[in-house]
Amino acid sequence: MRIGIPAEIIAGEKRVATVPEVVEKLIKLGFQVAVESGAGDQANCDDDSYRAAGAEIIEGAAKLWAESDIVFKVAVPTTEEVGLLREGGHLIGFIWPAQNPELMQQLAAKKATVLAIDALPRMLSRAQKMDALTSQAGVAGYRAVIEAANAFGRFFNGQITAAGKVPPAKVFIAGAGVAGLAAIGTASGLGAIVRANDTRAEVADQVKSLGGEFVKVDYEEEGGGSGGYGKVMSEGFQQAQREMYAKQAKEVDIIITTALIPGKPAPKLITAEMVQSMKPGSVIVDMAAERGGNCELTEPGQSVVKHGVTIVGYTDLNSRLAKQSSTLYGTNLFRLAEELCKAKDGVVNVNMEDDAIRGLTVIKDGEITWPAPALKLPAAKPAVAKPVAVPTAKGHGGAGTPASAGKIIAIFGAVAALFLLIGAYAPAAFLGHFTVFVLACFVGYMVVWNVTPALHTPLMSVTNAISSIIAIGALVQIAPPTMLGLDRPDEWIRWLAVAGIALTAVNMIGGFAVTQRMLSMFRK
């Protein structure tokens, strides 16, 4: 079967459905690949690079659509493009069936089989490799921070210069989904102080792991919805949330909003009053502008200045990183092609028994199959009752019973008797060395356990403990013998002790130096 890659005709859309690197992989699956001439020009993929990868270049959209068994697309197809689709053909791309019922009817009339990449059941772990929504949201979140930095009139990171101290920028991310987390990581990497909020409490740890601070709404309500999205919150929660946003608007320099709810207009989070309260020169990047925007003053597709605040409402953030977006999207479609063509014979099999493929398939041979039935999730394992510990009678020494005072006294008595026997019968030289050994073990223990665990790995802990024992022993050999009542050591033993101290010092200092360098790799 032949896969066709048409040029996107939507204004401002610079992405392409696959890139030359992915074309080679599709050919190895047994497919033929045809690309419309100029389809990848705006994504830095020229016709020659597609030819070198093994694709055929076809002039004109009509010919490409007519000669393709499967069409890969990025943007939702227009009525004109649906008219070009061959009867009974396959179409894979963004469809948004809930928002485009008329488009669904047009495609069904073509007896087409349509796989909507936006309908992928994202809760399936094996579907993650095909999750184009996630890959594109990550690119958009990154680009949102770049747009904010471009509109912002200062450094993101704090600096101390000859002209004075520059404080770091304060960034607030409203919504910590995939796009929000990408924005948090990018802003944190640029050195800004990053705060974030989300209706889903479980993302707090993810925010912290990326270097951000999670700002909690002072209202208890869980905001997790189906498919990993948020849900519409109660009026009480929304009021508490608005109060928190109003406070953040007065404090921060940059706000990036990402809140979306499937099938509904973007919720209004930033009011005109909040914008007016922000410091002059502040920036708002509204990533939900395409669905109406999270800010009341957002103008979709435009960057405007209101009340001294720059409000960026671009709807083409992915196209502003067209090469990266196209590469990730093309990889997602290739992974889908692998699932559709497991035999690697260039023939797709839309297996409606496969949960992932069933969820993606919104039209099968002209029959509308959307929405897909609910996934049959495995039943939760029954809780296993913990065995109840049977108390043991006191005084019988049962397992888990604290040692009695008599036992402790007996143990200490036995140890004291052992030391007494050693002192009574052991040679004087042995006692001196035994004293040094016990002292070295104690000091070595204290040296290691009083150091913060983050400063050394377990292996370095052992080597440093051994090093401290060697150092103590060598110091005793160098010290004047009258201090410890020992005979004067031979001169060669003294110099051997000096060498031992030198080598031990190198080992200890080097160990901590290496640990410090390892830790610095993870610091900003």
Side-chain angles (χ1 to χ4, degrees):
M1 299 177 76
R2 173 180 287 188
I3 296 175
I5 313 296
E8 301 295 330
I9 63 175
I10 299 295
E13 183 57 78
K14 299 179 181 179
R15 291 174 290 177
V16 63
T18 198
V19 295
E21 298 85 351
V22 177
V23 167
E24 296 176 354
K25 298 177 182 179
L26 290 170
I27 291 174
K28 289 180 180 178
L29 286 179
F31 295 105
Q32 298 176 13
V33 181
V35 181
E36 183 181 349
S37 180
D41 286 351
Q42 296 187 84
N44 299 320
C45 300
D46 57 22
D47 291 349
D48 290 338
S49 62
Y50 281 113
R51 286 194 186 94
E56 178 186 356
I57 302 300
I58 294 180
E59 296 288 342
K63 184 178 180 182
L64 179 108
W65 284 80
E67 297 180 1
S68 299
D69 302 295
I70 309 167
V71 175
F72 283 0
K73 263 192 62 61
V74 180
V76 176
T78 63
T79 301
E80 177 186 349
E81 288 174 319
V82 173
L84 297 176
L85 179 65
R86 65 190 296 179
E87 192 88 6
H90 293 69
L91 176 65
I92 301 176
F94 285 104
I95 302 297
W96 302 108
Q99 288 81 20
N100 298 292
E102 293 182 4
L103 173 65
M104 292 285 287
Q105 294 297 331
Q106 293 169 6
L107 290 168
K110 280 282 191 174
K111 306 296 182 184
T113 297
V114 181
L115 278 72
I117 200 70
D118 49 90
L120 179 75
R122 303 171 76 184
M123 64 286 297
L124 295 176
S125 58
R126 68 183 186 84
Q128 293 176 1
K129 61 185 179 181
M130 301 177 276
D131 191 356
L133 286 175
T134 294
S135 66
Q136 299 304 292
V139 175
Y142 172 89
R143 184 66 192 195
V145 177
I146 301 304
E147 293 295 340
N150 181 57
F152 190 51
R154 298 204 326 263
F155 295 136
F156 259 49
N157 62 328
Q159 296 187 18
I160 298 177
T161 70
K165 183 178 179 181
V166 179
K170 295 179 180 179
V171 180
F172 178 70
I173 314 291
V178 176
L181 291 173
I184 292 168
T186 306
S188 180
L190 289 174
I193 297 173
V194 184
R195 304 168 184 170
N197 168 261
D198 196 278
T199 57
R200 297 160 294 183
E202 66 269 17
V203 305
D205 289 338
Q206 299 175 27
V207 171
K208 294 174 184 176
S209 69
L210 291 170
E213 174 192 352
F214 187 78
V215 182
K216 193 174 184 297
V217 177
D218 190 17
Y219 193 98
E220 294 299 329
E221 183 178 351
E222 175 53 42
S226 60
Y229 294 97
K231 69 176 184 180
V232 178
M233 306 300 287
S234 67
E235 181 56 37
F237 181 92
Q238 293 180 35
Q239 178 59 35
Q241 186 182 53
R242 283 192 290 269
E243 292 174 1
M244 183 270 289
Y245 283 158
K247 180 181 177 182
Q248 293 297 322
K250 295 176 182 178
E251 297 179 1
V252 302
D253 304 297
I254 296 168
I255 296 177
I256 298 176
T257 65
T258 70
L260 284 173
I261 298 173
K264 296 181 180 296
K268 299 299 180 185
L269 305 178
I270 308 299
T271 64
E273 291 76 13
M274 295 179 195
V275 175
Q276 199 165 0
S277 71
M278 296 180 72
K279 292 173 284 189
S282 297
V283 178
I284 296 174
V285 180
D286 194 340
M287 295 184 64
E290 190 173 4
R291 305 281 186 88
N294 296 135
C295 176
E296 286 184 349
L297 302 182
T298 296
E299 295 184 14
Q302 304 294 323
S303 176
V304 297
V305 178
K306 297 183 179 181
H307 305 297
V309 177
T310 302
I311 304 173
V312 179
Y314 297 146
T315 58
D316 60 346
L317 292 173
N318 290 105
S319 286
R320 290 170 181 261
L321 283 172
K323 175 65 174 180
Q324 185 65 73
S325 298
S326 300
T327 301
L328 294 175
Y329 183 67
T331 302
N332 293 140
L333 295 190
F334 164 69
R335 296 302 181 189
L336 173 56
E338 282 184 320
E339 294 295 317
L340 294 171
C341 183
K342 293 183 177 180
K344 297 184 179 181
D345 57 358
V347 179
V348 298
N349 174 29
V350 182
N351 181 12
M352 300 296 274
E353 300 299 320
D354 185 312
D355 287 338
I357 302 303
R358 176 64 187 88
L360 284 166
T361 307
V362 295
I363 300 176
K364 179 71 175 355
D365 298 328
E367 180 184 351
I368 296 178
T369 58
W370 183 87
L375 290 176
K376 296 179 181 179
L377 299 176
K381 295 181 179 179
V384 180
K386 294 183 179 180
V388 179
V390 179
T392 308
K394 293 183 179 180
H396 288 74
T401 305
S404 63
K407 277 192 173 184
I408 295 175
I409 293 173
I411 292 172
F412 273 100
V415 172
L418 178 62
F419 276 105
L420 182 62
L421 288 172
I422 293 174
Y425 298 101
F430 175 81
L431 286 177
H433 290 302
F434 184 71
T435 302
V436 170
F437 176 76
V438 173
L439 180 62
C441 288
F442 175 75
V443 173
Y445 175 85
M446 297 303 294
V447 165
V448 173
W449 287 102
N450 283 298
V451 173
T452 304
L455 294 181
H456 50 65
T457 64
L459 177 61
M460 289 179 180
S461 301
V462 175
T463 58
N464 288 331
I466 296 173
S467 297
S468 63
I469 295 173
I470 297 171
I472 294 296
L475 285 171
V476 169
Q477 295 297 332
I478 294 176
T482 55
M483 292 179 60
L484 296 173
L486 302 175
D487 296 331
R488 177 176 291 279
D490 294 335
E491 199 65 24
W492 69 272
I493 295 179
R494 185 187 300 276
W495 287 110
L496 185 63
V498 171
I501 291 175
L503 293 174
T504 302
V506 171
N507 183 49
M508 295 176 71
I509 296 172
F512 285 112
V514 170
T515 303
Q516 187 64 29
R517 291 189 64 181
M518 292 170 61
L519 291 173
S520 65
M521 295 170 59
F522 300 96
R523 293 196 183 103
K524 292 191 292 185

